[in-house]
Amino acid sequence: MPEPLILQVAIDTPLYRLFDYLPADTGKPAEPGCRVRVPFGRTFTVGVVMGVSTHSDFPLHKLKHVSEVLDTEPLLPPDMRRLIHWAADYYQHPIGVVAAAAIPKSLREGKPLDLSGDSLWQITASGSQTDVASLVRAPKQSALLGWLTQHSPADTDALTSFSDNWRTAMTGLVAKGLAEKRIQPCLEINNGDVVTATQLNPDQQHAVDRVNASLGQFQTFLLHGITGSGKTEVYLALTDAVIARGKQVLILVPEISLTPQLTRRFRQRLSQTIAALHSGLNDRQRQCAWGMAARGDARVVIGTRSALFTPMPELGLIIIDEEHDASLKQQEGFRYHARDLALVRAKHAAIPVVLGSATPSLESLYNAERGQYQLLQLKQRAATNARPPRVEVLDVRRRPLQDGLSEMLLQHIRNHLAQQGQVLLFLNRRGYAPLLMCHECGWTTDCPRCDAHMTLHQHSRRLHCHHCGHEKPAPSSCPQCGHSELWLPGAGTERIEQALGQHFPDVVISRIDSDTTRRKGALDDKLEQARLGEARILIGTQILAKGHDFPNVSLVGILDADQGLFSTDFRGTENLAQLIIQVAGRAGRAERAGEVFIQTHQPDHPLLATLLNQGYTGFAQAALAERRHSELPPFSHLAILRAEATQSETVTDFLRQAKNLLTTGKVLSFGPLPAPMARRAGRQRMQLVLQASERRDLHAQLYGWVRALGEIKGASKVRWSLDVDPADLY
Ligand code: ADP
Ligand code: ZN
Ligand code: ZN
């Protein structure tokens, strides 16, 4: 008897296994990587064949047949399947969920890969030679043909603006051979003129040469270049070189706001088809970019973290920009780190990876220090005349802060505006004030569902909880004692914007935070307005700190450094130092000398002192010494089991049992402890932290442990998740 063929299928369901099926009755083969429709429970679902075997743990007669094979060619090539297997193992996440994350939604639902773009109608040679007057018996066709002589090729929008019912006339013209329809590719094929490459300086050239010498083998480079040192030019030169060898390049950036900017720069410089992949795309656009890359038609992919899962048959180089940025780590569901997985993908593919940053993560610096990564440095600003900014700490102790702004800072702003400078103020808190407080009885605007205050948004006169989304109208008097004087301690970006409007009534002020950029395209518009210098004062949150190039900014103000100094998380100081350096880097990018002012009540804080006196590298060395001393990453390896439920006893009980299931002394566990915000959205939250000196001990433990957690009594009442290599302990 021939050996049975068993298909091992990944299905998007939270179980740590593949599902066995028999081939379709039709006999149509399903190679690994192809999608199949399968009976699952009482319905049907779409899965991906990850492997084939001759053996199943289930009796053969119990296995069902695949009902339909959806692909003739594998949708997921072997290297992507290998990465999915690896990631599911490493992050201890159900493999079907991981595979689903790697595929655009419409493909996941079983639709065919469709790379056709918009339709265009154009006049044919015979149409151009036809006298429109000869179509007297068809006046609508005659008019359309006349219009087409001027407007060919035309898309449906243009045609509809010409006439609402152009389709009938067009059908007539097409039948007569006077016009024809053409389907555009879904992605613009770029083969137009490009601007010539910048002459690299010796440091940049050295970096490019080193990476070029490693093409075709696995090697990780840490490109540590100060802001404005020309890292992007290095990426461009490398991409050019790799494409010239017939290979593809994958570039990951942390933020969606960075993709259009970087994509534009690449399109200007490379006459290549470049696909952008980020969360702002609709499903058709995403499928297009993904498919074009998978077919090798797009030579460059620029995207946010999930673009890491784009199949690229000729991948030759991976570049991760802003490699320190926490947005590269997914914070929910399948909690992977795109940088760490990129290294795995590169290793499998035997290609180099470049990690770029002005403020590398402590992990990466440590890896460079011990020779795991090759360090490439750019220590000078690249543009002629560009100088590093001057940094000054503004001690705001015992000085009145008006709406969060000190008189000293206001004076500096006045000076810069008078000299035609542009001002960028950073405050990582949106809204008007972080809470309302009653002067009489001390009542505060607590969120009923979280251990947090509700933020006042003045524009809408509403209170918002930034943690659970709860909102309600702001009271005009104290709901507890009726007193009418409500105090507003602290300031958010909305308040700063309002105060600045009073100080500088004639100046265009632009607030850039998630409240003002919700509309699609709003962020791009605002960034463009900022770049062109139309807005003279920019006030914003995180969004402004990232790698944007605002050539006219001469003054940067960090309004509240104290928030970060008091963070309880082990990465708190690292993140603050990176933020200060990144924000400061927005000043003086071009001709103008920059100044940076940091408002703080802690002018003598050792972190600030080290950072200002010894720079980021000095800070990083001190911070690494501290991590080594307290045995925190990268000197140990962490995983967190987070759990929440409506009753705190349920959570504690679950985590206690989970702790009892640990079998090795090589993994230490801390907890159960309340999460830093113990109640959120009405649920009680606790966590158990696991720590091991050796990564393999941690992983050896996690495998069986995670699979046993679902068996714990009461587990069904608990919502839990495992986070391997957590970005923070929240
Ligand atoms: P980074 O990515 O490190 O912040 P960019 O690549 O954006 O730096 O470069 C910063 C500025 O310096 C840009 O305006 C860029 O055009 C300019 N620049 C980069 N390299 C050179 C060079 N070799 N010569 C002159 N100008 C350069
Ligand atoms: Zn009161
Ligand atoms: Zn809340």
Side-chain angles (χ1 to χ4, degrees):
M1 217 174 91
E3 299 254 280
L5 182 69
I6 289 155
L7 305 179
Q8 300 166 320
V9 179
I11 291 173
D12 187 1
T13 191
L15 292 172
Y16 298 91
R17 42 177 281 233
L18 296 167
F19 294 82
D20 290 350
Y21 284 90
L22 296 168
D25 280 333
T26 57
K28 186 173 173 185
E31 282 177 62
C34 290
R35 292 170 303 159
V36 286
R37 196 181 303 282
V38 293
F40 189 68
R42 267 176 238 153
T43 58
F44 290 85
T45 190
V46 174
V48 182
V49 180
M50 295 296 284
V52 292
S53 173
T54 52
H55 168 81
S56 174
D57 292 339
F58 294 90
L60 280 187
H61 68 272
K62 289 219 167 158
L63 295 185
K64 292 182 178 152
H65 286 270
V66 160
S67 31
E68 193 185 349
V69 180
L70 297 170
D71 297 306
T72 40
E73 302 264 299
L75 187 76
L76 287 183
D79 63 325
M80 294 320 293
R81 299 200 302 274
R82 185 172 175 201
L83 186 65
I84 289 167
H85 270 294
W86 196 96
D89 268 358
Y90 185 85
Y91 291 104
Q92 291 302 324
H93 207 68
I95 187 160
V97 179
V98 175
I103 304 173
K105 184 157 160 280
S106 55
L107 299 177
R108 222 183 297 153
E109 289 166 349
K111 301 202 181 94
L113 181 61
D114 176 10
L115 298 181
S116 58
D118 295 336
S119 305
L120 285 183
W121 277 266
Q122 60 191 17
I123 196 160
T124 59
S126 125
S128 326
Q129 285 153 17
T130 303
D131 179 4
V132 289
S134 69
L135 293 170
V136 275
R137 297 209 286 157
K140 292 210 174 109
Q141 290 180 20
S142 167
L144 180 59
L145 187 64
W147 182 85
L148 265 187
T149 54
Q150 305 294 321
H151 297 93
S152 175
D155 61 14
T156 49
D157 285 351
L159 282 157
T160 308
S161 65
F162 165 69
S163 159
D164 273 340
N165 37 28
W166 56 272
R167 283 186 188 270
T168 338
M170 186 64 84
T171 311
L173 292 181
V174 171
K176 290 181 179 130
L178 305 178
E180 64 191 3
K181 179 173 161 179
R182 189 177 86 201
I183 309 273
Q184 280 188 296
C186 61
L187 192 69
E188 197 186 327
I189 305 288
N190 189 358
N191 46 18
D193 292 341
V194 290
V195 297
T196 43
T198 311
Q199 178 74 40
L200 298 181
N201 64 35
D203 287 347
Q204 288 171 316
Q205 191 60 54
H206 173 74
V208 170
D209 292 344
R210 288 275 297 279
V211 180
N212 271 338
S214 285
L215 296 181
Q217 65 197 65
F218 173 60
Q219 175 66 56
T220 308
F221 295 92
L222 178 60
L223 178 63
H224 182 186
I226 64 167
T227 47
S229 60
K231 293 184 290 297
T232 313
E233 290 298 327
V234 171
Y235 304 156
L236 281 162
L238 285 172
T239 303
D240 215 9
V242 173
I243 291 173
R245 292 180 160 214
K247 298 284 187 180
Q248 294 172 293
V249 180
L250 171 63
I251 301 160
L252 297 184
V253 293
E255 288 284 314
I256 173 177
S257 66
L258 293 178
T259 43
Q261 198 186 330
L262 202 66
T263 313
R264 207 175 305 134
R265 223 163 135 184
F266 271 72
R267 289 212 169 112
Q268 280 167 2
R269 275 282 297 282
L270 306 169
S271 101
Q272 290 295 338
T273 303
I274 297 171
L277 264 169
H278 53 77
S279 59
L281 301 181
N282 65 32
D283 206 57
R284 199 174 64 102
Q285 293 167 320
R286 174 184 314 282
Q287 200 193 121
C288 169
W290 193 89
M292 293 286 275
R295 291 207 317 202
D297 289 344
R299 305 309 293 172
V300 180
V301 171
I302 300 179
T304 43
R305 63 175 177 256
S306 65
L308 175 77
F309 293 101
T310 316
M312 296 176 76
E314 287 152 343
L315 189 60
L317 174 69
I318 303 178
I319 295 169
I320 316 277
D321 192 24
E322 311 288 355
E323 68 87 30
H324 66 279
D325 198 297
S327 330
L328 288 165
K329 170 108 203 246
Q330 176 135 313
Q331 305 280 12
E332 54 183 35
F334 167 36
R335 294 160 195 260
Y336 65 97
H337 200 305
R339 175 196 60 210
D340 299 349
L341 279 187
L343 261 61
V344 175
R345 184 170 181 184
K347 192 169 181 185
H348 290 171
I351 58 169
V353 193
V354 175
L355 310 178
S357 176
T359 52
S361 62
L362 295 184
E363 277 88 348
S364 294
L365 283 172
Y366 174 63
N367 280 328
E369 203 171 279
R370 63 195 185 116
Q372 293 276 95
Y373 299 172
Q374 292 199 30
L375 184 63
L376 304 170
Q377 288 182 295
L378 305 178
K379 294 184 172 171
Q380 245 113 64
R381 285 199 163 180
T384 27
N385 300 331
R387 298 272 162 278
R390 188 179 75 83
V391 184
E392 187 180 324
V393 171
L394 298 180
D395 178 2
V396 294
R397 285 175 301 180
R398 293 180 299 276
R399 294 183 194 238
L401 281 184
Q402 254 185 28
D403 297 314
L405 296 164
S406 64
E407 183 45 42
M408 295 175 286
L409 183 60
L410 283 168
Q411 191 51 48
H412 289 296
I413 295 176
R414 263 178 228 119
N415 292 345
H416 277 256
L417 289 177
Q419 292 160 27
Q420 308 310 314
Q422 193 183 23
V423 172
L424 186 158
L425 301 177
F426 174 84
L427 177 62
N428 208 12
R429 190 193 284 138
R430 63 198 171 87
Y432 189 84
L435 74 159
L436 274 173
M437 188 186 277
C438 173
H439 237 329
E440 193 67 21
C441 74
W443 170 86
T444 53
T445 48
D446 296 339
C447 175
R449 311 173 66 217
C450 304
D451 291 337
H453 295 302
M454 295 182 77
T455 302
L456 174 69
H457 287 248
Q458 182 81 320
H459 179 70
S460 55
R461 284 297 304 169
R462 288 179 80 79
L463 295 168
H464 289 243
C465 174
H466 289 175
H467 304 282
C468 72
H470 184 68
E471 52 173 291
K472 59 182 176 195
S476 49
S477 59
C478 175
Q480 190 164 281
C481 74
H483 195 74
S484 62
E485 206 174 320
L486 293 178
W487 183 43
L488 297 166
T493 48
E494 197 188 5
R495 186 171 195 169
I496 305 283
E497 180 192 27
Q498 193 188 66
L500 289 166
Q502 282 155 10
H503 287 286
F504 307 102
D506 305 325
V507 172
V508 181
I509 299 168
S510 173
R511 169 159 62 97
I512 305 185
D513 57 26
S514 55
D515 295 319
T516 63
T517 54
R518 210 151 279 164
R519 181 179 58 79
K520 200 169 154 54
L523 177 60
D524 230 13
D525 292 349
K526 284 202 162 254
L527 291 174
E528 188 61 16
Q529 187 197 23
R531 221 171 354 255
L532 295 174
E534 287 165 8
R536 303 280 310 285
I537 303 182
L538 315 172
I539 160 82
T541 52
Q542 290 283 6
I543 306 179
L544 276 186
K546 305 287 164 80
H548 306 295
D549 198 357
F550 302 129
N552 299 311
V553 167
S554 58
L555 183 157
V556 165
I558 296 171
L559 299 186
D560 186 2
D562 299 351
Q563 261 187 79
L565 290 175
F566 292 114
S567 165
T568 52
D569 191 71
F570 78 98
R571 277 189 231 267
T573 50
E574 177 185 354
N575 292 340
L576 178 67
Q578 290 164 342
L579 186 83
I580 290 177
I581 301 289
Q582 293 284 346
V583 181
R586 304 302 122 216
R589 299 271 289 177
E591 273 83 81
R592 214 168 267 286
E595 285 192 294
V596 178
F597 298 99
I598 303 175
Q599 284 195 160
T600 176
H601 288 87
Q602 310 290 324
D604 305 320
H605 194 285
L607 162 69
L608 279 179
T610 316
L611 192 61
L612 299 186
N613 298 330
Q614 296 166 45
Y616 184 75
T617 309
F619 157 79
Q621 265 152 14
L624 272 171
E626 216 174 283
R627 293 264 186 97
R628 185 190 292 274
H629 182 75
S630 40
E631 290 178 44
L632 282 164
F635 303 98
S636 70
H637 305 279
L638 299 180
I640 301 187
L641 178 63
R642 298 191 179 85
E644 55 176 61
T646 41
Q647 303 293 323
S648 64
E649 302 79 64
T650 320
V651 196
T652 317
D653 196 47
F654 171 80
L655 289 179
R656 277 220 188 93
Q657 294 190 58
K659 190 177 172 116
N660 288 338
L661 289 173
L662 291 169
T663 49
T664 161
K666 291 175 179 162
V667 175
L668 301 177
S669 66
F670 304 90
L673 297 163
M677 187 181 293
R679 192 170 57 105
R680 192 167 79 190
R683 300 174 74 87
Q684 305 295 330
R685 309 160 73 226
M686 313 271 290
Q687 58 196 30
L688 189 67
V689 177
L690 307 189
Q691 184 196 38
S693 323
E694 297 296 327
R695 160 143 348 261
R696 58 172 179 281
D697 293 334
L698 181 64
H699 273 84
Q701 173 68 82
L702 289 179
Y703 186 88
W705 190 62
V706 167
R707 282 158 182 78
L709 292 177
E711 311 294 315
I712 290 177
K713 204 163 139 275
S716 61
K717 289 193 217 132
V718 178
R719 207 186 278 167
W720 59 268
S721 64
L722 181 75
D723 191 350
V724 177
D725 302 336
D728 53 43
L729 297 181
Y730 286 79

